[in-house]
Amino acid sequence: MNEQTAVYDGNTLAGPLSEVFAVELTTAAGRCRSCGTTSQVATIRVYGPDPGFVGRCPHCEDVLLRLVRTPDAVWLDLSGVSALRIPMPIDSAVKTDPDESNEEQHH
């Protein structure tokens, strides 16, 4: 990391991640592949923005994610995250009961 790179918290990723995901990801909890610490995305240390954002574990400083925006794509590398838990509203759950699906079709 050079001296010209600014350091932010994980909330900096809210805008760029909202371009890719339809849910709020700064409240998601990711587990660091290196040390096993689970942290909310909002608490990770983010460096950037050029040439892209790099998110580091607040505990061990290993890279959790990289996000680069090009004119026609977003590149997202989550190789430093072994798991990501994304909170979802209860009403957004997909119905999996086949009986409910059949009832809706008949009404």
Side-chain angles (χ1 to χ4, degrees):
M1 290 166 265
N2 64 44
E3 294 177 22
Q4 295 176 337
T5 302
V7 179
Y8 308 94
D9 70 20
N11 288 306
T12 305
L13 298 172
L17 287 174
S18 70
E19 290 184 85
V20 180
F21 297 97
V23 296
E24 171 58 50
L25 281 184
T26 58
T27 60
R31 184 181 314 125
C32 177
R33 186 172 300 282
S34 294
C35 72
T37 299
T38 299
S39 305
Q40 280 191 328
V41 172
T43 67
I44 67 175
R45 297 187 61 142
V46 178
Y47 298 85
D50 293 319
F53 291 104
V54 175
R56 293 184 171 271
C57 175
H59 181 72
C60 73
E61 287 289 316
D62 275 3
V63 174
L64 296 175
L65 65 87
R66 295 173 184 91
L67 188 146
V68 176
R69 179 73 162 96
T70 64
D72 64 345
V74 172
W75 293 82
L76 180 60
D77 171 7
L78 293 170
S79 60
V81 178
S82 64
L84 185 65
R85 181 185 176 277
I86 303 169
M88 298 293 290
I90 293 173
D91 61 351
S92 71
V94 176
K95 293 182 182 177
T96 56
D97 184 356
D99 292 333
E100 287 183 24
S101 297
N102 288 337
E103 286 178 21
E104 289 175 8
Q105 291 174 359
H106 297 299
H107 291 276

